[in-house]
Amino acid sequence: MIASSTLSLSSLRATPAPSNQVPSDPDPEPRVRRLKGSGKLNRWSRARAIRSGRKLDRPGNRAQVVEAKPPVRPRDGLSQDLISVTGSVGDGEVEMRGAKSIYMVSDGTGWTVEHSVNAALGQFDHCLVDRGCPVNTHLFSGIDDVERLMEIVKQAAKEGAMLVYTLADPSMAESAKQACNMWGIPSTDILGPITEAIASHLGVSPSGLPRGAPGRSFPLSEEYFRRIEAIEFTIKQDDGALPQNLYKADIVLTGVSRTGKTPLSIYLAQKGYKVANVPIVMGVELPKGLFEVDPEKVFGLTINPLVLQTIRKARARSLGFSEETRSNYSEMEYVREELEVAGRIFAQNPVWPVIEVTGKAIEETAAVVLRLYHDRKHRCTMPRISKRY
């Protein structure tokens, strides 16, 4: 199984050029697509788009990539996709290079290595967005024999890729390490060091078997059935449905539309928590059950109004809302007023923590919710009342 996310230079074509011909100057005022919304949202969206393989126009105040006319003749010994192209934009000079590849190898589903690499790439958003250093990521999952592993290593050597792997079998991991050293491939073993550290701490040798291996069995435990029950409950309680069951929930989320209540609920449900979410809509009375349940399990969600407006406009277009409905739903005046209504409700219930979700991934918001939930449940490190997170 191979999954890839690529931003390539397929549109760049290098052909021989007469030695006496000089590249013509590019248009001094290139037309630039303007991005709407906050700068923080724009940066986040552009980074996500680059990692997903989509090409983006650069803002006008950033360096523009310009195609040389005629294209540059490739130098001997260099592959076509690694050719650098430079061109003048005003008084500056920019450079566009071929994307660097990262090979992710796993003997299981690849979840661990993929999420580890994506987390690390998040530290380079400034480069991915501002400086145009594109990255290709390729996931190879279910690699359980040395022969297939060696094929991947050889291909990585050809592409000049980096190899990142999670291989539970020590002999497989050692083979990957030695092959990478022999071929001069930069590599990182994500699983090995932490497994060795835990083995040393526990004084027990690891099994060396990946998840799903024939030698490992996972009986259906009580925790498994609890997670299934939590997911079923959460789906039924979505968007304020069945308010009479709010008292059965472990966690109750509330906030205005498009603050991420539903995806956050589903994410938490997959971890075994029964979650209900209640929307705050201007002019619609909230269910009484929301104020009757234990206030320590209610969490308010809020968001920057400009970001919320941008999300709502996109949502309205995708749903085909009429202009009148769209204006009521996504106009800034209405958005601000609805957030103010939500803010007053949160202020009237100071025990509810209010979590700022602007710029946060679902996983980040979930981490805050669970930290507060367990702190309160076990009465440790109690958070300050009415603090926004």
Side-chain angles (χ1 to χ4, degrees):
M1 174 182 175
I2 301 177
S4 64
S5 173
T6 306
L7 180 64
S8 64
L9 302 180
S10 58
S11 61
L12 181 62
R13 296 288 184 268
T15 57
S19 59
N20 59 348
Q21 188 171 353
V22 178
S24 59
D25 290 336
D27 185 355
E29 296 182 357
R31 179 174 295 181
V32 177
R33 176 172 65 84
R34 293 184 178 275
L35 294 175
K36 297 181 180 180
S38 69
K40 188 172 184 179
L41 178 64
N42 288 341
R43 290 174 60 83
W44 176 82
S45 299
R46 290 169 63 81
R48 288 288 298 272
I50 286 175
R51 274 188 256 167
S52 67
R54 298 199 305 272
K55 293 186 177 181
L56 297 176
D57 296 333
R58 294 271 179 217
N61 61 342
R62 305 253 173 93
Q64 300 292 315
V65 175
V66 181
E67 183 180 357
K69 301 178 182 179
V72 178
R73 181 192 299 271
R75 290 177 290 175
D76 294 337
L78 290 180
S79 63
Q80 186 62 53
D81 62 340
L82 295 179
I83 297 172
S84 296
V85 178
T86 59
S88 60
V89 180
D91 296 329
E93 186 178 78
V94 297
E95 182 174 307
M96 181 168 64
R97 296 177 298 176
K100 290 185 177 294
S101 294
I102 299 177
Y103 280 19
M104 303 176 292
V105 181
S106 170
D107 50 14
T109 63
W111 190 96
T112 301
V113 66
E114 186 175 26
H115 282 72
S116 298
V117 169
N118 285 337
L121 285 175
Q123 299 297 313
F124 300 93
D125 282 351
H126 63 285
C127 173
L128 295 172
V129 175
D130 295 343
R131 301 180 185 176
C133 51
V135 173
N136 298 341
T137 59
H138 305 272
L139 173 61
F140 301 86
S141 59
I143 306 303
D144 54 4
D145 64 78
V146 176
E147 184 178 352
R148 295 172 64 194
L149 177 62
M150 291 303 104
E151 291 177 1
I152 296 170
V153 172
K154 290 177 182 178
Q155 183 61 32
K158 291 179 182 178
E159 288 195 22
M162 174 185 181
L163 193 75
V164 181
Y165 55 93
T166 51
L167 299 170
D169 185 345
S171 63
M172 286 279 288
E174 184 62 25
S175 297
K177 180 180 179 181
Q178 292 181 2
C180 288
N181 290 338
M182 182 178 69
W183 288 85
I185 301 171
S187 64
T188 298
D189 180 2
I190 292 178
L191 193 59
I194 190 170
T195 301
E196 292 174 4
I198 293 175
S200 176
H201 180 66
L202 298 179
V204 179
S205 299
S207 67
L209 297 174
R211 286 182 177 272
R216 296 183 65 176
S217 60
F218 293 91
L220 298 181
S221 62
E222 182 180 345
E223 180 185 359
Y224 171 82
F225 289 106
R226 181 168 60 85
R227 289 170 57 197
I228 296 300
E229 183 182 357
I231 293 172
E232 292 176 346
F233 176 89
T234 300
I235 292 174
K236 292 178 181 178
Q237 296 295 137
D238 186 38
D239 204 26
L242 304 175
Q244 67 272 18
N245 291 334
L246 287 176
Y247 73 96
K248 298 179 181 179
D250 298 315
I251 296 170
V252 179
L253 305 175
T254 185
V256 301
S257 174
R258 314 319 298 174
T259 50
K261 298 184 299 298
T262 296
L264 179 58
S265 298
I266 298 299
Y267 181 86
L268 291 169
Q270 292 177 355
K271 292 182 174 292
Y273 299 91
K274 295 180 179 178
V275 185
N277 73 77
V278 180
I280 297 176
V281 181
M282 194 162 52
V284 177
E285 185 178 358
L286 289 169
K288 293 181 180 179
L290 180 62
F291 306 100
E292 295 173 352
V293 300
D294 182 358
E296 291 194 348
K297 63 182 182 182
V298 181
F299 295 82
L301 304 180
T302 189
I303 192 171
N304 178 279
L306 185 59
V307 175
L308 179 59
Q309 182 193 33
T310 303
I311 296 173
R312 285 188 172 185
K313 282 184 176 181
R315 177 66 171 171
R317 285 193 299 269
S318 68
L319 294 177
F321 283 179
S322 64
E323 289 296 329
E324 181 180 357
T325 306
R326 189 182 304 176
S327 64
N328 290 336
Y329 180 70
S330 59
E331 287 305 312
M332 180 55 72
E333 183 178 352
Y334 183 88
V335 168
R336 289 187 184 278
E337 190 174 354
E338 197 166 48
L339 285 172
E340 288 173 2
V341 169
R344 288 195 291 270
I345 294 172
F346 296 154
Q348 293 166 6
N349 298 271
V351 179
W352 299 355
V354 180
I355 302 174
E356 171 67 62
V357 301
T358 306
K360 284 189 175 75
I362 294 298
E363 296 87 348
E364 293 174 307
T365 306
V368 175
V369 170
L370 293 179
R371 175 174 63 83
L372 296 175
Y373 173 80
H374 287 289
D375 280 354
R376 291 179 160 201
K377 187 175 181 179
H378 300 292
R379 297 294 180 223
C380 61
T381 320
M382 284 295 291
R384 186 164 59 111
I385 300 301
S386 297
K387 180 178 179 180
R388 291 200 173 194
Y389 299 88

